[in-house]
Amino acid sequence: IRPDNAKYFAEALKQNGYSTAAFGKWHETATWEVSVSGPFDRWPTNSGFDKFYGFIGGETNQWDPVIFDGVTKVGKKDDPDYHFTTDMTNEAIEWVKFQKAMTPDKPFMVYYATGATHAPHHAPKEWIEKYKGKFDAGWLKLREETFERQKSLGIIPQEAQLAPMPSDIKDWESLSSDEKRLFALQMETFAGFAEHTDVEVGRLVDAIDQVGELENTLFIYIMGDNGSSAEGGLEGTYNELVHLNGIFDEETVESMLEHADDWGGPNSFPHMSAAWAVATDAPFKWTKQMAADFGGTRNGMVMHWPNGIDAKGEIRQQWHHVNDVAPTIFEAANLPIPKSINGVEQIPMDGVSMLYAVKDAEAPDQHTTQYFEMFGNRAIYHEGWLARVVHMVPWVGKPRAAFADESWELYNIEEDFSLVNNLAEENPEKLKEMQELFEKEAIENNVYPLDDRLYERFNAAIAGRPDLMGDRKSLTLAQGMEGILENTFLNVKNTSKTIVANVSLEGNDKGIILCQGGKFGGWALYMDKGRPAYTYNYFGLERYTIAAPKALSKGDAEVTLQFDYDGDGIGKGGTAKLYVDGVLVAEGRVEKTEPAVFSADETADVGKDDATQVADKVFKDVEDSEFTGYVNSVTISIPE
């Protein structure tokens, strides 16, 4: 939870006369605060932004996103070529132009955060096809070419080494033709997604040029997703949610190739192999989630401000971190860093302005110390040195050793840009100094206790975080109550559940009574051709459906779904029974269930299925899923 004494810098800009807006990914609001009940003080529009248009979760479906305008959930635009990156860019362009039309002398600040290139990798087919065959030589070749290009451009030192590949990464030449075909397609999709995004950024740049403000606008353009991500595992995935549930044996190369024509499109939720993540994080060894390695933390950055920066097309090598962005903006805007906002004394900002480096390529570093930590992977940077612990590799998903039994590594970055030569044994004094510094920084920045749980964190009860439902065992809803994100809905995973719906029917009814999730995982109680039915969608890989044999006539009815979980672990199956007015009308097995998470942003809905369809073999879209009757009440409960 972000406290009131750490307000976003946007708040200070707004109070100093700026128009402010945020577009795209937010993922800063506590999960238990994302519902109609709020509170809304940690949503963007109460965090310094006049305007917000984007998604609240950690990722979104680019074809069928769950979008908020301010704090109100809105539907996607009716456009056959819809893609969220284009949509958010259109919104940003319209906002800038409108703001300049109404208040031409008022400065503006835009926070523009695309979903790219975070999973799912969704790109228009023509962008993917642009890269057909471009990666057929494999990941090692791409990595080596990237490394040489970095040197020729002066991005990395000429003496830098290419870090060794992790031992788990297979040699490209040892792969089968099917593996090469699948893996090449994954990288083609990633590349298409990246270029499509870059073009959208370019449209925003052009729009600011059109309103006559490009020369006097500071752009800080950070490229990438913390380094490329290895969450796709060693073989990649057609549906990333399978891996986010800690399941890595449901998909095969053959089963994924069956969807080759859909890869990157609306029927997919894909992620590439970790080998491509390693390749695109060159010259480093590791990837996103690896806070112990620059492959998981270092990104390219461009600063563009013709009226404020004399240097053109030059490279700077001073060491900086993302927390330096805000102080840079304050200095550029000629505003002091606020000591108090709305009467609340603010804690000091950790970062420093980067403009000194803009002015002097040889200026000594001013950001001299920085800690890193994620899932137990941790490091400390200080004055050209890095000490670290590689605690857990993303595609393995479990610690290498207990925290107390781990060995620290030590690197001299000024002599070893790529973190290749571990100096821990030959310089134990320096390592001890760095470990003590990490301890100090970790305590000051609330890093402890270290928590290396992965999939358990999706479950509030296991993770130990607040839960809007608390100890409640039942939830009663009615027609029109929709858009309930997973973390503010009753947790029905790994347990039995009962749904009792009191509905008024028109006859030959169709549509959703109650659902949760979407076509990449979830469940739905609905009517089809007048018959009550229940579908459990297991990651889009299997669909278990039971349905009443006879249609219900017009009038009131009570439709009940009882699911008896097998127990004895997580992700197990169970028996589903369907009742109408207390009479059993259908029964069947659900062989497997999803143990940790249905989605980052699909919702639970009454009366229709927002975004993608759980029962996608029955309903083609949101409009098709709208219930023709009326849900007077529906109660979902789990055992006491």
Side-chain angles (χ1 to χ4, degrees), residues 401-441:
F403 288 128
D405 299 330
E406 291 176 314
S407 298
W408 282 71
E409 301 169 12
L410 179 68
Y411 299 92
N412 183 340
I413 297 169
E414 294 180 358
E415 299 176 359
D416 181 16
F417 182 89
S418 308
L419 310 179
V420 174
N421 303 305
N422 179 11
L423 305 177
E425 288 189 8
E426 59 188 80
N427 202 337
E429 295 84 5
K430 187 66 178 181
L431 178 61
K432 184 173 185 295
E433 173 192 327
M434 296 290 283
Q435 287 173 301
E436 291 174 349
L437 183 57
F438 176 83
E439 188 82 0
K440 173 179 176 290
E441 292 292 310

Side-chain angles (χ1 to χ4, degrees), residues 144-161:
E144 291 171 344
E145 290 175 349
T146 301
F147 180 60
E148 291 306 318
R149 191 181 306 114
Q150 289 169 334
K151 283 191 175 183
S152 67
L153 292 172
I155 301 297
I156 65 175
Q158 293 301 308
E159 66 274 12
Q161 302 177 64

Side-chain angles (χ1 to χ4, degrees), residues 44-63:
T45 46
N46 283 304
S47 299
F49 294 101
D50 300 319
K51 168 76 173 178
F52 170 64
Y53 184 87
F55 59 97
I56 293 289
E59 62 186 34
T60 195
N61 186 324
Q62 298 292 315
W63 304 112

Side-chain angles (χ1 to χ4, degrees), residues 606-625:
V606 180
K608 67 177 180 180
D609 189 351
D610 274 347
T612 65
Q613 302 300 298
V614 175
D616 57 340
K617 303 302 182 184
V618 180
F619 308 111
K620 62 179 182 291
D621 54 31
V622 177
E623 186 176 86
D624 192 38
S625 75

Side-chain angles (χ1 to χ4, degrees), residues 501-524:
N502 291 293
V503 296
S504 296
L505 305 175
E506 297 295 323
N508 196 36
D509 289 275
K510 181 181 180 180
I512 292 292
I513 296 173
L514 176 65
C515 67
Q516 183 180 27
K519 70 179 176 183
F520 301 105
W523 53 266

Side-chain angles (χ1 to χ4, degrees), residues 27 114 172 225 287 324 330 624 633:
H27 203 205
T114 68
W172 183 263
D225 179 27
T287 66
D324 296 327
F330 277 124
D624 192 38
S633 69

Side-chain angles (χ1 to χ4, degrees), residues 7 27 51 62 66 84 97 138 167 220 223-224 259 288 317 336 346 348 406 445 476 505 514 541 586 630-631 639:
K7 286 285 189 183
H27 203 205
K51 168 76 173 178
Q62 298 292 315
V66 174
F84 178 70
K97 289 184 174 180
S167 59
I220 300 178
M223 296 157 282
H259 302 289
K288 178 186 169 184
Q317 299 290 355
Q346 300 292 291
E406 291 176 314
N445 290 280
T476 299
L505 305 175
L514 176 65
L541 303 173
Y630 191 86
V631 182

